[in-house]
Amino acid sequence: MPQILDGNRVRDAIKTELAPRIAALTALGRPPGLAVVLAGHNPASEIYVRNKVKTSQELGIHSETLTPPVSVTTAELLHTVECLNARDDIDGILVQLPLPPQVDAKRILLAVSPTKDVDGFHPCNVGNLVAGLPGPRACTPAGIIELLHRYGIPIAGKRAVVVGRSDIVGKPVAMLLLHQHATVTICHSRTPSLAAVCREAEILVAAIGRAAMITGEFLTPGVTVIDVGTNRVDNRAEVARIFRGSPEKLAAFDKRGSVLAGDVDPLDVVEKAAAYTPVPGGVGPLTIAMLMANTVASAERRAGIC
């Protein structure tokens, strides 16, 4: 049986390690401060933000959620961000995407001070990543590297294939793997002979956003599979196909109207991989954990203790 890379376990370890750092900052005068800007009423975003706030409270991080209306303008959001940039008690600013369609999202993200950009999306911090300089890293890619390290999976000298080229996951995780001395290939939906390229991987990161797209023909026996996909499948026949008629998954679908599936076929990965991340419970828990780690590190830099 392959090794299951348990993101919940790694998340809990990260939270335990953050606790004394947060206590030390609090003893200096105040806890780390995180501000989340949530505009509009996107249900998935609202759930995600609630989880961020809950984790902040558990750790003793001061957390604020600003909820401008769905009608907010670019100018109004820019003013909100500028006010947060100026506040000494806020160490991290996170603008939850997607923003309402009338808002220029690029202008808003660029307005966040690079020193408070705990998502790691600002061009200054992307540049620091490319150059190998200190700075916040995008949370999901950073969590993937933590997961590999904490399970003792070697990266240096390995062939890594990243399926997906997004600015949020694909590109930054490829750069992080390169900095860890892997030989990295980035591919995507238009890559010729995609399955053949993926079969070259010793570490395969699937971040393409299509349920169970990566099947057994993409996997070489013994591969380590990092499945970033969190696809909500709301078609019963598709659930039956992906999970081979599993009574448990079909019962879950009948109860909730949907189930989660990763980008990798959930049965093929068990047959072929030496280690893999489950969906849910693999990469997902680490995104918020790394957001907390970025916030604490930002607070330490601003306090001059690192």
Side-chain angles (χ1 to χ4, degrees), residues 216-239:
E217 69 169 317
F218 291 71
L219 307 175
T220 294
V223 64
T224 294
V225 175
I226 305 297
D227 192 347
V228 185
T230 51
N231 307 287
R232 196 167 296 278
V233 184
D234 55 10
N235 180 291
R236 197 176 195 277
E238 188 68 359
V239 172

Side-chain angles (χ1 to χ4, degrees), residues 118-154:
V118 287
D119 254 339
F121 293 162
H122 194 284
C124 288
N125 290 322
V126 174
N128 286 335
L129 167 61
V130 172
L133 297 173
R137 307 306 192 210
C139 298
T140 300
I144 290 168
I145 300 300
E146 283 288 329
L147 190 71
L148 293 170
H149 282 328
R150 290 174 188 252
Y151 272 94
I153 294 173

Side-chain angles (χ1 to χ4, degrees), residues 30-299:
R30 64 169 182 83
L34 173 65
V36 180
V37 180
L38 175 64
H41 301 287
N42 182 294
S45 293
E46 289 172 349
I47 292 170
Y48 189 39
V49 168
R50 281 201 299 271
N51 289 335
K52 292 173 182 176
V53 172
K54 179 183 176 183
T55 304
S56 297
Q57 292 172 342
E58 290 173 353
L59 289 171
I61 292 174
H62 170 70
S63 178
E64 295 182 18
T65 303
L66 289 75
T67 55
V70 70
S71 59
V72 68
T73 66
T74 298
E76 289 168 339
L77 266 189
L78 285 172
H79 177 71
T80 297
V81 170
E82 288 165 3
C83 291
L84 292 172
N85 283 338
R87 284 177 54 181
D88 288 337
D89 61 332
I90 295 298
D91 302 293
I93 302 169
L94 185 148
V95 179
Q96 185 65 40
L97 301 177
L99 291 170
Q102 76 277 6
V103 175
D104 186 336
K106 289 186 177 179
R107 283 187 67 191
I108 301 302
L109 295 177
L110 281 170
V112 175
S113 169
T115 63
K116 295 188 177 185
D117 165 40
V118 287
D119 254 339
F121 293 162
H122 194 284
C124 288
N125 290 322
V126 174
N128 286 335
L129 167 61
V130 172
L133 297 173
R137 307 306 192 210
C139 298
T140 300
I144 290 168
I145 300 300
E146 283 288 329
L147 190 71
L148 293 170
H149 282 328
R150 290 174 188 252
Y151 272 94
I153 294 173
I155 301 175
K158 300 297 181 181
R159 181 68 181 267
V161 173
V162 178
V163 187
R165 51 182 169 174
S166 73
D167 294 335
I168 295 172
V169 178
K171 292 175 186 175
V173 79
M175 190 58 59
L176 287 170
L177 288 165
L178 189 63
H179 286 320
Q180 296 290 318
H181 310 297
T183 299
V184 183
T185 300
I186 304 176
C187 46
H188 44 81
S189 59
R190 297 187 184 182
T191 299
S193 305
L194 179 58
V197 176
C198 289
R199 285 196 299 270
E200 298 176 0
E202 295 169 279
I203 299 171
L204 178 67
V205 180
I208 203 162
R210 298 186 187 180
M213 176 184 166
I214 307 298
T215 61
E217 69 169 317
F218 291 71
L219 307 175
T220 294
V223 64
T224 294
V225 175
I226 305 297
D227 192 347
V228 185
T230 51
N231 307 287
R232 196 167 296 278
V233 184
D234 55 10
N235 180 291
R236 197 176 195 277
E238 188 68 359
V239 172
R241 182 190 70 80
I242 291 172
F243 294 99
R244 316 295 199 275
S246 163
E248 293 82 4
K249 290 295 182 180
L250 289 171
F253 176 86
D254 292 337
K255 181 178 179 180
R256 303 186 188 96
S258 66
V259 297
L260 287 179
D263 288 352
V264 183
D265 185 287
L267 276 71
D268 288 353
V269 74
V270 173
E271 292 181 1
K272 291 273 187 100
Y276 73 97
T277 57
V279 177
V283 173
L286 296 173
T287 300
I288 292 179
M290 297 313 298
L291 173 66
M292 299 298 117
N294 281 349
T295 302
V296 172
S298 175

